Protein backbone atom coordinates (compact mmCIF):
# COMPACT_ATOMS: atom_id res chain seq x y z
CA UNK A 1 0.00 0.00 0.00
CA UNK A 2 1.32 3.42 -0.93
CA UNK A 3 1.72 5.83 1.99
CA UNK A 4 0.37 8.77 -0.01
CA UNK A 5 -3.32 9.03 0.90
CA UNK A 6 -3.91 12.28 -0.96
CA UNK A 7 -5.52 10.70 -4.06
CA UNK A 8 -7.86 8.67 -1.87
CA UNK A 9 -9.03 11.67 0.11
CA UNK A 10 -9.26 13.81 -3.03
CA UNK A 11 -11.54 11.16 -4.53
CA UNK A 12 -13.58 10.92 -1.31
CA UNK A 13 -14.19 14.64 -0.98
CA UNK A 14 -15.02 15.33 -4.65
CA UNK A 15 -18.67 15.31 -5.55
CA UNK A 16 -20.92 13.40 -3.23
CA UNK A 17 -18.59 10.45 -2.71
CA UNK A 18 -18.51 11.03 1.05
CA UNK A 19 -22.15 9.96 1.13
CA UNK A 20 -20.98 6.33 1.12
CA UNK A 21 -19.59 6.86 4.61
CA UNK A 22 -22.92 8.16 5.86
CA UNK A 23 -24.64 5.28 4.07
CA UNK A 24 -22.38 2.77 5.79
CA UNK A 25 -23.21 4.26 9.18
CA UNK A 26 -26.90 4.26 8.35
CA UNK A 27 -26.72 0.56 7.43
CA UNK A 28 -25.25 -0.05 10.89
CA UNK A 29 -28.16 1.86 12.46
CA UNK A 30 -25.89 4.60 13.79
CA UNK A 31 -27.55 8.00 13.89
CA UNK A 32 -26.09 11.46 14.54
CA UNK A 33 -27.93 11.52 17.86
CA UNK A 34 -25.80 8.69 19.23
CA UNK A 35 -22.62 9.47 21.14
CA UNK A 36 -20.41 7.19 19.03
CA UNK A 37 -21.60 8.50 15.65
CA UNK A 38 -18.78 11.01 15.11
CA UNK A 39 -16.19 8.45 16.24
CA UNK A 40 -17.35 5.86 13.75
CA UNK A 41 -17.61 8.48 11.00
CA UNK A 42 -13.99 9.39 11.65
CA UNK A 43 -13.04 5.70 11.62
CA UNK A 44 -14.75 5.36 8.24
CA UNK A 45 -12.77 8.31 6.91
CA UNK A 46 -9.57 6.72 8.17
CA UNK A 47 -10.47 3.39 6.54
CA UNK A 48 -11.11 4.93 3.13
CA UNK A 49 -7.47 5.19 1.91
CA UNK A 50 -6.85 1.50 2.64
CA UNK A 51 -10.02 0.54 0.75
CA UNK A 52 -8.97 2.84 -2.09
CA UNK A 53 -5.59 1.11 -2.31
CA UNK A 54 -7.07 -2.42 -2.09
CA UNK A 55 -9.51 -1.95 -4.98
CA UNK A 56 -8.35 -4.23 -7.81
CA UNK A 57 -9.14 -1.76 -10.63
CA UNK A 58 -8.50 1.95 -10.90
CA UNK A 59 -11.10 3.79 -8.76
CA UNK A 60 -10.89 6.84 -11.02
CA UNK A 61 -11.92 4.90 -14.14
CA UNK A 62 -14.61 2.77 -12.42
CA UNK A 63 -16.06 5.10 -9.80
CA UNK A 64 -19.48 3.41 -9.49
CA UNK A 65 -18.03 -0.04 -8.93
CA UNK A 66 -15.47 1.36 -6.53
CA UNK A 67 -18.04 3.28 -4.47
CA UNK A 68 -20.19 0.16 -4.11
CA UNK A 69 -17.10 -1.85 -3.13
CA UNK A 70 -15.90 0.82 -0.70
CA UNK A 71 -19.27 1.19 1.01
CA UNK A 72 -19.57 -2.56 1.50
CA UNK A 73 -15.98 -2.91 2.75
CA UNK A 74 -16.34 0.04 5.15
CA UNK A 75 -19.69 -1.26 6.40
CA UNK A 76 -18.22 -4.68 7.15
CA UNK A 77 -15.13 -3.27 8.82
CA UNK A 78 -17.15 -0.88 10.98
CA UNK A 79 -19.60 -3.67 11.83
CA UNK A 80 -16.69 -5.76 13.10
CA UNK A 81 -15.37 -2.85 15.12
CA UNK A 82 -18.82 -2.04 16.50
CA UNK A 83 -19.25 -5.69 17.49
CA UNK A 84 -15.86 -5.69 19.25
CA UNK A 85 -16.68 -2.46 21.07
CA UNK A 86 -20.03 -3.75 22.25
CA UNK A 87 -18.52 -7.06 23.31
CA UNK A 88 -15.93 -5.18 25.34
CA UNK A 89 -18.71 -3.20 27.01
CA UNK A 90 -20.54 -6.45 27.78
CA UNK A 91 -17.43 -7.89 29.41
CA UNK A 92 -17.51 -5.07 31.89
CA UNK A 93 -20.45 -6.72 33.62
CA UNK A 94 -21.99 -4.85 36.51
CA UNK A 95 -21.42 -7.55 39.14
CA UNK A 96 -21.77 -6.79 42.82
CA UNK A 97 -20.83 -3.20 43.38
CA UNK A 98 -22.27 -2.74 46.83
CA UNK A 99 -18.79 -2.53 48.36
CA UNK A 100 -17.74 0.11 45.87
CA UNK A 101 -20.85 2.17 46.43
CA UNK A 102 -20.40 2.20 50.18
CA UNK A 103 -16.77 3.28 49.80
CA UNK A 104 -17.63 6.23 47.50
CA UNK A 105 -18.27 9.41 49.47
CA UNK A 106 -21.60 11.11 49.00
CA UNK A 107 -21.93 14.52 47.40
CA UNK A 108 -22.53 16.11 50.79
CA UNK A 109 -19.30 14.59 52.16
CA UNK A 110 -17.33 15.93 49.23
CA UNK A 111 -18.87 19.39 49.50
CA UNK A 112 -18.23 19.52 53.22
CA UNK A 113 -14.64 18.37 52.82
CA UNK A 114 -13.71 21.04 50.29
CA UNK A 115 -15.76 23.82 51.75
CA UNK A 116 -18.14 24.34 48.87
CA UNK A 117 -21.17 24.04 51.09
CA UNK A 118 -20.18 27.26 52.86
CA UNK A 119 -19.46 28.93 49.54
CA UNK A 120 -22.89 27.92 48.23
CA UNK A 121 -24.55 29.32 51.32
CA UNK A 122 -22.60 32.56 50.88
CA UNK A 123 -23.70 32.87 47.24
CA UNK A 124 -27.32 32.20 48.10
CA UNK A 125 -27.16 34.81 50.87
CA UNK A 126 -25.44 37.35 48.59
CA UNK A 127 -27.88 37.04 45.71
CA UNK A 128 -30.87 36.58 47.99
CA UNK A 129 -30.24 39.99 49.50
CA UNK A 130 -29.39 41.91 46.34
CA UNK A 131 -30.52 39.87 43.33
CA UNK A 132 -33.69 39.85 41.30
CA UNK A 133 -36.14 36.94 41.04
CA UNK A 134 -34.54 35.47 37.91
CA UNK A 135 -31.06 35.44 39.43
CA UNK A 136 -32.47 33.84 42.55
CA UNK A 137 -34.29 31.17 40.52
CA UNK A 138 -31.15 30.38 38.52
CA UNK A 139 -28.94 30.22 41.61
CA UNK A 140 -31.28 27.98 43.57
CA UNK A 141 -31.92 25.82 40.52
CA UNK A 142 -28.26 25.22 39.81
CA UNK A 143 -26.70 25.18 43.27
CA UNK A 144 -29.43 23.75 45.46
CA UNK A 145 -31.54 21.62 43.12
CA UNK A 146 -28.70 20.72 40.68
CA UNK A 147 -30.84 21.45 37.58
CA UNK A 148 -29.74 22.20 34.03
CA UNK A 149 -30.76 25.40 32.27
CA UNK A 150 -33.46 23.55 30.33
CA UNK A 151 -34.88 22.06 33.52
CA UNK A 152 -34.95 25.48 35.18
CA UNK A 153 -36.78 26.90 32.15
CA UNK A 154 -39.34 24.10 32.30
CA UNK A 155 -39.83 24.46 36.05
CA UNK A 156 -40.55 28.20 35.84
CA UNK A 157 -42.33 28.18 32.47
CA UNK A 158 -39.90 30.50 30.70
CA UNK A 159 -37.82 30.37 27.55
CA UNK A 160 -34.31 28.92 27.65
CA UNK A 161 -32.94 32.30 26.52
CA UNK A 162 -34.48 33.86 29.62
CA UNK A 163 -32.61 31.41 31.84
CA UNK A 164 -29.37 32.32 30.05
CA UNK A 165 -30.11 36.02 30.66
CA UNK A 166 -30.59 35.23 34.35
CA UNK A 167 -27.23 33.46 34.33
CA UNK A 168 -25.52 36.41 32.63
CA UNK A 169 -27.07 38.86 35.09
CA UNK A 170 -26.02 36.65 38.00
CA UNK A 171 -22.47 36.35 36.62
CA UNK A 172 -22.18 40.12 36.27
CA UNK A 173 -23.47 40.66 39.81
CA UNK A 174 -21.04 38.11 41.23
CA UNK A 175 -18.11 39.64 39.36
CA UNK A 176 -19.10 43.05 40.71
CA UNK A 177 -19.38 41.79 44.31
CA UNK A 178 -16.54 39.28 44.41
CA UNK A 179 -13.81 40.94 42.33
CA UNK A 180 -11.76 43.74 43.84
CA UNK A 181 -11.74 46.84 41.61
CA UNK A 182 -7.97 46.73 41.08
CA UNK A 183 -8.13 43.13 39.81
CA UNK A 184 -11.08 43.48 37.46
CA UNK A 185 -10.02 42.06 34.09
Amino acid sequence: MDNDVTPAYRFLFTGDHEAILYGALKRLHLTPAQNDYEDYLQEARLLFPAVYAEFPDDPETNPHQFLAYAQQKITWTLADQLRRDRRQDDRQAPGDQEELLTAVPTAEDVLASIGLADYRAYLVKLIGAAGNTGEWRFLVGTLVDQLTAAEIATRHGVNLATVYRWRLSLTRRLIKHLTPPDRFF
Side-chain angles (χ1 to χ4, degrees):
M1 180 174 129
D2 188 13
N3 286 340
D4 187 23
V5 296
T6 306
Y9 284 122
R10 186 176 300 126
F11 182 83
L12 177 64
F13 294 120
T14 57
D16 61 346
H17 296 162
E18 193 177 12
I20 66 164
L21 303 180
Y22 298 110
L25 294 176
K26 187 173 182 178
R27 288 177 74 183
L28 295 172
H29 304 288
L30 292 172
T31 62
Q34 292 174 309
N35 292 337
D36 295 341
Y37 182 80
E38 290 295 325
D39 296 333
Y40 285 106
L41 179 61
Q42 194 66 15
E43 288 293 329
R45 287 183 181 133
L46 291 173
L47 287 171
F48 189 81
V51 173
Y52 186 87
E54 291 173 4
F55 188 65
D57 293 334
D58 183 25
E60 301 290 335
T61 58
N62 298 323
H64 296 292
Q65 289 83 4
F66 170 70
L67 289 173
Y69 169 81
Q71 183 175 12
Q72 188 64 46
K73 179 82 170 170
I74 289 171
T75 301
W76 286 347
T77 307
L78 288 179
D80 290 342
Q81 183 173 354
L82 187 61
R83 195 175 304 113
R84 275 192 308 271
D85 292 346
R86 288 184 179 161
R87 188 176 299 139
Q88 182 179 2
D89 290 345
D90 289 344
R91 286 187 186 139
Q92 299 172 355
D96 183 25
Q97 304 199 352
E98 190 64 35
E99 294 177 26
L100 293 174
L101 292 175
T102 56
V104 174
T106 64
E108 291 80 22
D109 294 338
V110 172
L111 289 176
S113 66
I114 60 174
L116 284 180
D118 294 335
Y119 185 66
R120 283 183 175 182
Y122 171 72
L123 289 178
V124 169
K125 182 179 175 184
L126 177 73
I127 297 304
N132 61 30
T133 306
E135 293 171 351
W136 177 252
R137 287 177 176 175
F138 182 81
L139 188 67
V140 169
T142 54
L143 292 180
V144 177
D145 298 332
Q146 301 290 315
L147 299 175
T148 64
E151 292 169 339
I152 294 170
T154 304
R155 173 183 276 183
H156 297 291
V158 296
N159 193 340
L160 191 58
T162 303
V163 175
Y164 288 130
R165 279 194 298 275
W166 292 347
R167 181 181 69 181
L168 179 63
S169 174
L170 176 66
T171 305
R172 287 181 179 157
R173 183 177 305 279
L174 289 174
I175 287 174
K176 186 175 95 179
H177 286 311
L178 299 177
T179 306
D182 59 336
R183 297 187 51 153
F184 189 73
F185 298 112

